[in-house]
Amino acid sequence: MKHTMKGLLGAVAMIAFTLPAYAADITVDLAGEPSSLDPHLQWNPDSYYVYRNIFDNLLTRSNAGEIVPQIATSWTQLSETELELTIREGVTFHDGSSLTPEDVVFSVKRITDPEFGSPQLGQFNQITDAKVVDGNKVVLTTAGAYPALMAQLVKLSIVPQKVVEAMGKDAFNAAPVGSGPYKFNDWSRGVAVSLTRNDAYWGDAGPFDNATFRAVPDAATRVADLLAGTADLVVSIDADAGAQLSSNADVKLLSAPTERVGYMGLNLDKAPFNDLDMRKAASLAIDRLGITEGLLQAGEVPVSQMATPAHFGYSADLPLFDFDPEKAKQLTSAKADLAATPIELATAPVFDQRIVQAVQQMLNDVGFNVSISMTDMPTYLGIVRSEPSENSELSFGRWSCACQDADGIIYPTLHSDSAWSRVNLPEIDALLEEARVSLDPAVRQAAYDKVNEMVRENYYLLPMYQAAVLYGAAADLEFDPTANESMFLNRMSIVE
């Protein structure tokens, strides 16, 4: 941990017992540059790590995973479709203006406006209205009963209406104004984002005067930075790097199982994966256990669905996918012309390229023709959200909703109205909609069981593993990793 001398407390400090005051700065190496600092736009990890410290959300989760107050101090379910939230008073944005219930309503309506085009729309589009009542209360109305609403609201950041409207969407993204424990300072594109502590913050103050989030795509460089003391916290490291850090007393390895699913996305509208046999062959070719135990080795486990045991809606009895490369070869040989179709596998530096390369090799070994297309994260996100004709044939992704409810992971990746989904099946849509609005947990679970079974039988997506997260940290940095992969600076501390 780097320290900056603020100065001597007095002239007598040189000859007396008074010690100089120190204030810590923190440098965090990310795998990539944030694609957005507007919390209503992208929600990928490198963006979320940064902007979550700039903004407060309606609700948040404790490190133990419990939903707890943030901008909303309490809440009451008025009916199946109405939730009343009491808004915290005395909160100010970084420009000095007060955070009001009107800002909450504006934030809700902004992220749920289809014309705004938030990639997070599918997680909030059950909200049909928001209005201020009784001074400091806000009532949210949903299209129907929505049991996942509270879990989704932990991700809904509050933005200042007047600032957003005055600056416009692009300018606000470039210089965001929030109410969180850290204020935006500078964004050197392609290099780093810097924040400064918000000394007027209503909640727990951050322990660092300044925070710098650097884009360092190469994992080995991130580890080298930590070992050299030029970084205090590094993300997205693998088990080999973890073993290296474990033997060094100046640093430490931090880990946690997550609710994130690593998966292969398939373009169902293009050859070869518009063919069931080709999708099945691709799945049979992927050695999920070999990837988790041979490559990752950090606690990841294979999964058979777009959910983990951390999610409500996980189907515990669904069998894992088979690994049978010989059967895969039989399927590709029977349709050799189709299997030989050039396949672009889209990826970005934030992902573990050992996995991407292993999948490429496994697929090519059974007769496919796969090439890797590496782009920066914003470009990658544009590709995987594009129209089928412009989308890649194959993509590697890792999805987490930080909500621990299948609605936040299965709905956006499988429902036809989601830009992330390549699936367009009325039966799946109907089941996901039923699970989204029923207040009966048994009804919801039954719907998710059917969806998970259909996806597995038809290989609409190829789930691979439940991810674990590994961080490298300076020895004097206290940081508790969580399943939702949040990085709250004001929940960290320094041990001298």
Side-chain angles (χ1 to χ4, degrees), residues 43 50 99 130 163 217 219 221 223 254 279 357 372 409 441 448 451 488:
W43 191 66
V50 181
L99 187 155
V163 174
T221 302
V223 172
L254 305 172
R279 299 197 298 272
Q357 293 162 9
I372 294 173
I409 184 169
Y448 286 129
V451 170
F488 298 103

Side-chain angles (χ1 to χ4, degrees), residues 63-102:
N63 284 353
E66 299 171 337
I67 296 175
V68 295
Q70 195 158 68
I71 292 303
T73 59
S74 61
W75 46 89
T76 302
Q77 194 76 44
L78 302 178
S79 69
E80 286 189 353
T81 60
E82 290 184 309
L83 176 70
E84 182 183 79
L85 302 126
T86 300
I87 305 306
R88 187 180 301 276
E89 298 179 330
V91 177
T92 58
F93 288 111
H94 299 151
D95 66 347
S97 63
S98 296
L99 187 155
T100 67
E102 286 75 15

Side-chain angles (χ1 to χ4, degrees), residues 434-456:
E434 179 183 31
R436 169 166 272 204
V437 302
S438 176
L439 294 178
D440 185 340
V443 171
R444 299 188 71 215
Q445 185 64 58
Y448 286 129
D449 286 344
K450 291 178 183 177
V451 170
N452 292 335
E453 184 178 357
M454 290 176 66
V455 172
R456 191 194 180 288

Side-chain angles (χ1 to χ4, degrees), residues 183-489:
K183 299 185 289 186
F184 172 80
N185 180 50
D186 180 68
W187 188 355
S188 178
R189 297 295 179 129
V191 180
V193 176
S194 64
L195 311 179
T196 58
R197 183 171 54 208
N198 175 17
D199 291 327
Y201 188 56
W202 61 269
D204 293 334
F208 316 108
D209 274 1
N210 304 286
T212 301
F213 293 85
R214 303 188 302 195
V216 184
D218 182 66
T221 302
R222 295 196 295 276
V223 172
D225 287 347
L226 180 66
L227 293 173
T230 58
D232 305 303
L233 182 63
V234 300
V235 308
S236 301
I237 62 175
D238 59 33
D240 291 340
Q244 181 183 0
L245 299 180
S246 296
S247 62
N248 190 312
D250 293 327
V251 299
K252 58 187 175 184
L253 181 69
L254 305 172
S255 65
T258 75
E259 57 173 295
R260 187 174 296 277
V261 175
Y263 70 101
M264 302 303 300
L266 307 175
N267 191 328
L268 305 180
D269 293 280
K270 278 186 179 180
F273 298 124
N274 55 358
D275 182 272
L276 174 59
D277 285 341
M278 295 297 96
R279 299 197 298 272
K280 182 177 181 179
S283 181
L284 289 167
I286 297 175
D287 183 359
R288 293 165 174 81
L289 188 62
I291 288 172
T292 56
E293 295 188 354
L295 280 181
L296 297 175
Q297 300 178 329
E300 297 86 356
V301 293
V303 293
S304 58
Q305 58 202 277
M306 289 300 292
T308 75
H311 292 93
F312 175 85
Y314 175 75
S315 301
D317 296 329
L318 194 66
L320 295 174
F321 288 95
D322 295 328
F323 170 54
D324 191 339
E326 293 305 316
K327 176 62 176 176
K329 288 179 182 178
Q330 293 174 16
L331 292 170
T332 57
S333 295
K335 299 181 179 180
D337 290 344
L338 190 56
T341 302
I343 297 170
E344 180 182 280
L345 168 51
T347 186
V350 69
F351 303 124
D352 190 331
Q353 294 308 301
R354 298 175 307 161
I355 302 173
V356 176
Q357 293 162 9
V359 169
Q360 178 198 29
Q361 186 65 53
M362 291 170 185
L363 294 178
N364 287 344
D365 283 347
V366 302
F368 287 107
N369 179 19
V370 179
S371 61
I372 294 173
S373 175
M374 170 79 79
T375 64
D376 59 40
M377 192 63 173
T379 303
Y380 165 86
L381 291 170
I383 291 170
V384 297
R385 296 181 66 242
S386 64
E387 293 299 317
S389 61
E390 301 174 3
N391 209 313
S392 61
E393 288 77 20
L394 195 62
S395 60
F396 175 71
R398 299 193 314 152
W399 192 284
S400 170
C401 66
C403 63
Q404 298 178 230
D405 191 291
D407 180 75
I409 184 169
I410 297 180
Y411 190 99
T413 56
L414 292 170
H415 195 284
S416 64
D417 73 0
S418 169
W420 303 101
S421 173
R422 299 278 70 86
V423 181
N424 186 2
L425 292 172
E427 184 178 357
I428 285 182
D429 284 354
L431 288 167
L432 292 177
E433 290 160 9
E434 179 183 31
R436 169 166 272 204
V437 302
S438 176
L439 294 178
D440 185 340
V443 171
R444 299 188 71 215
Q445 185 64 58
Y448 286 129
D449 286 344
K450 291 178 183 177
V451 170
N452 292 335
E453 184 178 357
M454 290 176 66
V455 172
R456 191 194 180 288
E457 289 181 349
N458 294 279
Y459 308 96
Y460 295 131
L461 285 174
L462 301 183
M464 294 201 299
Y465 62 91
Q466 176 187 12
V469 62
L470 290 179
Y471 304 91
D476 59 354
L477 179 65
E478 290 295 313
F479 167 49
D480 294 325
T482 61
N484 59 23
E485 301 175 73
S486 295
M487 186 182 290
F488 298 103
L489 295 175

Side-chain angles (χ1 to χ4, degrees), residues 15-56:
I15 57 175
F17 295 102
T18 306
L19 296 176
Y22 289 87
D25 294 342
I26 186 171
T27 298
V28 182
D29 278 3
L30 304 177
E33 180 179 32
S35 59
S36 170
L37 294 181
D38 184 330
H40 296 165
L41 295 175
Q42 296 291 355
W43 191 66
N44 57 58
D46 290 325
S47 298
Y48 187 71
Y49 285 144
V50 181
Y51 73 60
R52 189 61 183 84
N53 291 285
I54 300 172
F55 295 90
D56 287 319

